């Protein structure tokens, strides 16, 4: 079941699918989902059926009825799994009325579960989710998050880049410069500008900005600072189109935010400017050569006026250079 309200939470649950497939090759997997989880999971070859239901957080009765009516396993035994972020009581109620013989995973109602988990902050989001496998009697190992874009999404992204003047063989760099207004994870606009000019002058790169519609105005202000042609797709893509667009980019510069997690699902090499107050273990792709995580300070509490000034332009441009050298663009 997948009704999490944060994009990163949904993305970091996707490794469960190949883990289950590897541990139990003949198992059948259906996912009940709502909201953007439907986009993240669409086209996933490990899922037999993606069941759209209302969000149980808004309408648990309707969600339960939709799941019960579309459940492909209702005539046999099956287990409900609730990954991290799906532990709310109303989500448990949807699972309770699905007809499942057992429930396993993260929950606020452990009495209704065969194996109930609480989040372990000594593990990453992915590790927490994969800890469900031993409860089912299977060992596992690390899997990266995945999204699967369709041919139509790739064709759209290729067309959009061509319409914006990107030439064959030209380096394309994705910039993720905005985060939720409730999270202080910003890097100064003039520093993003300097990093963009470095990529343009050294590699002839075309800079592509991605984000949500609410971030488009701030992105356009930043683009005005850059005396070269750039493109903004903020608010102009759905999640699969965004994933397709990022899959066509050669390198990324990003804050720690949901769009970064989408870039990870398609293996985009990225330099990540990380905040001092957020532990990297929970969310960031540690010990992976495709990602350079720049975090130069440690804070227990985020100051009200916090900006990530401890990460310099020089560190960022060096990390971008190293990524383009190690993972050269495919011409």
């Amino acid at each position: 079941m997948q009704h999490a309200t944060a994009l990163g939470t949904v993305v970091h649950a996707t490794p469960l699918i190949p883990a289950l497939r590897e541990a139990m090759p003949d198992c059948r997997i259906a996912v009940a989902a709502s909201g953007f989880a439907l986009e993240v999971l669409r086209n996933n070859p490990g899922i037999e059926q993606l069941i759209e239901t209302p969000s149980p957080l808004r309408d648990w009765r309707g969600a339960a009825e939709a799941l019960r009516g579309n459940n492909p396993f209702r005539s046999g035994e099956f287990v409900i799994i609730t990954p991290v972020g799906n532990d709310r009581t109303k989500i448990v109620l949807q699972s309770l009325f699905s007809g499942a013989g057992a429930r396993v995973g993260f929950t606020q109602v452990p009495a209704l579960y065969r194996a109930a988990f609480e989040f372990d902050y000594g593990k990453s989001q992915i590790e927490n989710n994969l800890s469900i496998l031993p409860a089912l009697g299977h060992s596992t190992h690390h899997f990266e998050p995945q999204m699967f874009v369709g041919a139509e999404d790739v064709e759209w992204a290729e067309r959009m880049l061509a319409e914006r003047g990107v030439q064959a063989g030209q380096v394309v760099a994705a910039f993720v410069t905005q985060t939720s207004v409730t999270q202080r994870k910003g890097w100064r606009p003039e520093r993003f500008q300097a990093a963009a000019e470095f990529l343009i002058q050294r590699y002839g790169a075309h800079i592509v900005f991605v984000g949500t519609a609410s971030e488009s105005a701030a992105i356009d202000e930043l683009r005005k600072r850059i005396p070269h042609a750039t493109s903004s797709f903020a608010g102009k893509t759905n999640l699969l189109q965004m994933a397709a667009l990022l899959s066509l980019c050669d390198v990324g510069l990003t804050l720690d935010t949901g769009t970064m997690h989408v870039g990870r699902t398609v293996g985009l090499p990225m330099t990540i400017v990380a905040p001092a107050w957020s532990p990297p273990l929970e969310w960031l792709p540690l010990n992976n050569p495709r990602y350079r995580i720049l975090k130069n300070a440690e804070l227990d509490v985020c100051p009200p006026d916090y900006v990530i000034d401890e990460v310099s332009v020089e560190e960022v441009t060096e990390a971008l250079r190293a990524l383009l050298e190690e993972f050269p663009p495919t011409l």
Side-chain angles (χ1 to χ4, degrees), residues 81-99:
I81 295 175
T82 51
V84 171
N86 293 273
D87 53 356
R88 303 283 290 278
T89 301
K90 289 183 178 180
I91 296 176
V92 176
L93 288 175
Q94 183 192 26
S95 72
L96 185 64
F97 288 92
S98 69

Side-chain angles (χ1 to χ4, degrees), residues 148-203:
F148 294 87
V149 299
E152 67 279 8
D153 300 309
V154 175
E155 291 170 0
W156 176 88
E158 290 174 337
R159 184 171 67 254
M160 291 298 102
L161 290 176
E163 288 179 0
R164 284 157 176 76
V166 176
Q167 302 298 310
Q170 185 176 9
V171 170
V172 181
F175 274 39
V176 182
T177 62
Q178 310 298 316
T179 64
S180 167
V181 295
T182 63
Q183 295 184 318
R184 298 192 179 276
K185 297 181 179 179
W187 203 48
R188 296 191 186 276
E190 58 268 24
R191 299 192 181 192
F192 277 112
Q193 175 190 353
E197 292 184 358
F198 165 79
L199 289 169
I200 292 167
Q201 292 168 9
R202 179 157 182 164
Y203 299 101

Side-chain angles (χ1 to χ4, degrees), residues 175-180 189 192 210-211 215-216 218-219 222 255 257 259:
F175 274 39
V176 182
T177 62
Q178 310 298 316
T179 64
S180 167
F192 277 112
V210 289
E215 298 163 351
S216 60
I219 287 172
L222 173 54
L255 300 169
T257 187
T259 304

Side-chain angles (χ1 to χ4, degrees), residues 1-18 31-42 44 47 50 57 82-86 91 119 125-126 129 143-147 239-240 257-258 261-262 264-265 282-283:
M1 301 181 68
Q2 189 53 274
H3 303 289
T5 56
L7 176 56
T9 305
V10 177
V11 168
H12 284 78
T14 60
L16 267 173
I17 297 166
V31 181
S34 59
F36 50 67
L38 292 163
E39 284 189 78
V40 172
L41 297 170
R42 203 175 308 282
N44 192 306
I47 298 175
L50 184 59
L57 302 178
T82 51
V84 171
N86 293 273
I91 296 176
F119 191 87
Q125 286 265 333
I126 293 174
N129 280 317
F143 289 86
E144 277 290 288
Q146 292 178 303
M147 289 176 63
L239 286 176
L240 285 172
T257 187
H261 301 310
V262 176
R264 184 178 179 183
T265 69
E282 183 176 353
W283 291 105

Side-chain angles (χ1 to χ4, degrees), residues 3 24 63 71 120 151-152 162 174 178 188 196 243 270 285 290 296:
H3 303 289
M24 299 175 282
N71 184 353
D120 182 350
E152 67 279 8
Q178 310 298 316
R188 296 191 186 276
M270 292 183 288
R290 301 187 77 84
N296 294 341

Side-chain angles (χ1 to χ4, degrees), residues 1 18 31 42 78 102 181 231 238 242 286:
M1 301 181 68
V31 181
R42 203 175 308 282
F78 65 98
V181 295
S231 299
N238 60 36
M242 180 189 290
L286 302 176

Side-chain angles (χ1 to χ4, degrees), residues 101-170:
R103 283 156 294 281
V104 174
F106 294 82
T107 181
Q108 295 177 351
V109 194
L112 297 178
Y113 272 57
R114 189 177 78 186
F117 294 82
E118 291 185 0
F119 191 87
D120 182 350
Y121 286 94
K123 298 179 180 179
S124 69
Q125 286 265 333
I126 293 174
E127 288 176 309
N128 270 280
N129 280 317
L130 292 178
S131 67
I132 292 172
L133 268 292
L136 298 173
H138 302 279
S139 60
T140 190
H141 57 87
H142 179 78
F143 289 86
E144 277 290 288
Q146 292 178 303
M147 289 176 63
F148 294 87
V149 299
E152 67 279 8
D153 300 309
V154 175
E155 291 170 0
W156 176 88
E158 290 174 337
R159 184 171 67 254
M160 291 298 102
L161 290 176
E163 288 179 0
R164 284 157 176 76
V166 176
Q167 302 298 310
Q170 185 176 9

